[in-house]
Amino acid sequence: MSIMNLKLNILLAISVLWVSAASAETVSLKALIDEALQNNPEIKASRERWEAAKAAIPQARSWEDPVLSVMFDKIPDSSINPGASMGREYSLSQGFPYPGKLTLMGKMAGKEAQMAYEEYKGKERDIVREAKSAYYDYFVIHKSIEVNIETKELLHHLSKTAEAKYATGLASQWDVLKAQIELSQLANEIIILNQEKESVRARINRLLNRPVENDIGEPASTNGRKDTPSLEFLEDMASQERPELRGMERGIEKEEAGLSLAKKGYYPDFMVRLAQREEDGSAAGWIAEVGVTIPLWFRTKQDYAVNGAVSNLAAARQEYQAMKNMASFEIKDAQVKIKSAKSLIELHENTHIPQAEQALRGAQVAYETGKVDFFALMESWRTVKNYKLDYYKAIAAFEQGWAELERAVGKELP
């Protein structure tokens, strides 16, 4: 294949990719998040667990079912038929826990439901963070394709310059071949980027509960850079807003109720029974019975129940503190990432990219006048390309860090 045919094939491949990218519609991050919150199956499953936990509350507050029974008495030795009995007793019995026990059991179930609710809200925050992370991965790939296509146009111009100098004997054929090799490399990079784009698109569709091959359009521009609030402010916000911390607070309250319930175990439960007797088919009077449990084995039962409840409460408090420490770490870690990404963005905007573009323009002039070789020109071109790629990666890192910060505090930040 001649150099000219190779060049035409590369330009054709890149042009097809460019037209395909340019024709796609734009999709906003907010639209994807709204759809994920509505359709994501993990969120739906977590919501159903919350509904199930709420349904357990009235069950925990309810008495045990009464027992209706019949007793056959004085069955003749010559028969095994209960109908031949001389006496019968019909009874209804109902157990009653010591006052306050059902209230505490209902409270514990209520706290369980509140914990399930916070788990549900935490799952929402997880999916939002995942959606934002995937979206900005998608953004980087899309921008990388744009940069490669943009720098392809410049490289095409440099290739023309090398061909013109080669035609007049002022440059070697290597300069022309080097330009064609770089164009081939650009085409390869775009193919790989489109493969990565398909993978990230499938990842986003999974979060949205769509078929993985569905098109989602192209990412919109970012919202601009913001300054993060102070660490103290964000830690206070996390204490109030982060679902895991709120859920663990409810867990502490549940274990406190569990300790009170364990102490109630030292008190007796009651049973009431009402029965009617029959003798030879005729009513023989009523029987009323009242029973009470005796916590006789408290040394091996109630004492250990209280000790276990004390340990559960202590564990819940320690887990809360551990999560609070984790939240503080995640907030600080996200702040560092955001600050670093913001510095890189500003450095690329104000220094790296302008200087690299200026250096490239100087290298173009110097190459045309024979003051530098084609290798130096290619290095200047590659520097511009890499700085632009790094610039968009820094933008994505900033936005992903912001998403991690919002997950750490449990709330969208303005």
Side-chain angles (χ1 to χ4, degrees):
M1 181 182 293
S2 67
I3 291 176
M4 182 59 67
N5 287 338
L6 174 63
K7 180 178 176 181
L8 288 174
N9 288 337
I10 292 170
L11 292 177
L12 178 61
I14 294 177
S15 298
V16 168
L17 292 170
W18 168 251
V19 170
S20 176
S23 62
E25 294 183 357
T26 299
V27 60
S28 70
L29 175 59
K30 184 181 183 304
L32 293 182
I33 290 175
D34 289 344
E35 185 173 348
L37 290 175
Q38 182 177 357
N39 297 332
N40 183 269
E42 293 181 59
I43 293 176
K44 289 182 177 180
S46 188
R47 188 187 303 125
E48 292 300 330
R49 283 191 288 270
W50 170 44
E51 294 292 339
K54 288 194 296 182
I57 299 174
Q59 300 177 58
R61 293 173 178 166
S62 298
W63 291 339
E64 293 294 330
D65 293 332
V67 177
L68 178 64
S69 62
V70 58
M71 182 180 71
F72 300 94
D73 192 17
K74 299 180 181 179
I75 301 175
D77 293 339
S78 61
S79 173
I80 60 172
N81 179 14
S85 62
M86 302 295 291
R88 298 182 185 182
E89 181 180 291
Y90 303 94
S91 66
L92 179 68
S93 59
Q94 174 68 60
F96 299 93
Y98 189 85
K101 285 186 177 180
L102 286 181
T103 300
L104 289 169
M105 292 172 67
K107 184 177 182 180
M108 292 180 69
K111 297 304 178 183
E112 285 276 6
Q114 291 174 355
M115 292 168 66
Y117 172 77
E118 297 300 344
E119 182 180 346
Y120 156 54
K121 301 307 289 184
K123 178 56 67 176
E124 283 189 335
R125 301 311 311 167
D126 284 337
I127 296 302
V128 168
R129 177 186 57 187
E130 287 186 47
K132 288 183 176 181
S133 177
Y135 184 85
Y136 287 110
D137 283 342
Y138 195 64
F139 167 83
V140 167
I141 294 172
H142 179 69
K143 289 298 183 181
S144 297
I145 293 173
E146 284 188 353
V147 168
N148 278 340
I149 292 173
E150 174 189 335
T151 54
K152 177 270 302 181
E153 299 295 337
L154 176 59
L155 184 58
H156 179 54
H157 174 74
L158 299 179
S159 175
K160 285 289 188 181
T161 302
E163 289 175 7
K165 294 190 67 174
Y166 173 64
T168 59
L170 298 176
S172 67
Q173 188 180 18
W174 167 246
D175 290 358
V176 178
L177 291 174
K178 178 62 176 174
Q180 301 309 313
I181 291 171
E182 292 291 347
L183 282 169
S184 298
Q185 184 62 34
L186 275 178
N188 289 340
E189 289 179 13
I190 292 176
I191 291 172
I192 293 171
L193 286 169
N194 273 282
Q195 292 173 346
E196 294 176 356
K197 188 175 181 180
E198 289 295 313
S199 178
V200 176
R201 187 174 70 177
R203 177 176 151 204
I204 293 173
N205 281 324
R206 177 187 67 83
L207 294 172
L208 304 181
N209 198 27
R210 293 178 179 178
V212 293
E213 71 276 7
N214 272 25
D215 189 21
I216 60 172
E218 301 300 344
S221 59
T222 60
N223 296 326
R225 297 178 294 282
K226 302 150 282 195
D227 293 322
T228 62
S230 67
L231 178 62
E232 294 75 14
F233 175 83
L234 292 170
E235 286 177 335
D236 289 342
M237 181 181 291
S239 297
Q240 299 174 23
E241 302 290 344
R242 180 155 178 160
E244 289 86 352
L245 289 174
R246 293 192 306 200
M248 287 182 172
E249 287 176 349
R250 304 294 83 77
I252 291 172
E253 293 168 358
K254 173 199 166 189
E255 297 303 337
E256 288 173 343
L259 177 57
S260 297
L261 181 62
K263 291 178 179 179
K264 289 280 187 182
Y266 291 106
Y267 298 96
D269 296 328
F270 306 99
M271 184 274 295
V272 175
R273 177 172 172 267
L274 183 64
Q276 185 183 48
R277 289 188 59 82
E278 286 185 358
E279 294 286 350
D280 297 326
S282 301
W286 291 86
I287 300 173
E289 179 184 357
V290 177
V292 60
T293 63
I294 301 175
L296 184 61
W297 317 117
F298 63 91
R299 292 296 184 188
T300 56
K301 186 176 181 181
Q302 282 80 5
D303 284 357
Y304 283 98
V306 170
N307 292 340
V310 169
S311 295
N312 286 336
L313 177 57
R317 287 171 174 163
Q318 292 301 320
E319 288 171 352
Y320 173 80
Q321 185 60 46
M323 177 53 67
K324 197 171 182 179
N325 294 341
M326 177 60 72
S328 295
F329 161 73
E330 290 175 351
I331 290 169
K332 183 61 179 178
D333 186 56
Q335 281 185 317
V336 171
K337 291 178 180 178
I338 290 169
K339 183 178 180 181
S340 175
K342 185 177 181 181
S343 297
L344 286 173
I345 292 169
E346 293 173 350
L347 191 61
H348 280 77
E349 283 181 340
N350 302 325
T351 304
H352 287 348
I353 294 178
Q355 287 180 352
E357 289 178 337
Q358 183 179 6
L360 177 58
R361 288 191 293 270
Q364 285 181 263
V365 174
Y367 176 71
E368 291 172 0
T369 58
K371 294 181 180 179
V372 299
D373 58 16
F374 195 71
F375 178 79
L377 181 60
M378 285 294 95
E379 282 300 307
S380 296
W381 166 81
R382 195 175 292 108
T383 299
V384 171
K385 172 193 166 187
N386 290 339
Y387 275 155
K388 288 185 175 182
L389 292 175
D390 290 342
Y391 170 67
Y392 288 117
K393 289 177 182 177
I395 291 176
F398 178 91
E399 297 293 346
Q400 289 170 336
W402 197 269
E404 290 179 10
L405 181 62
E406 290 177 331
R407 180 63 185 93
V409 300
K411 184 179 180 180
E412 295 284 333
L413 295 171

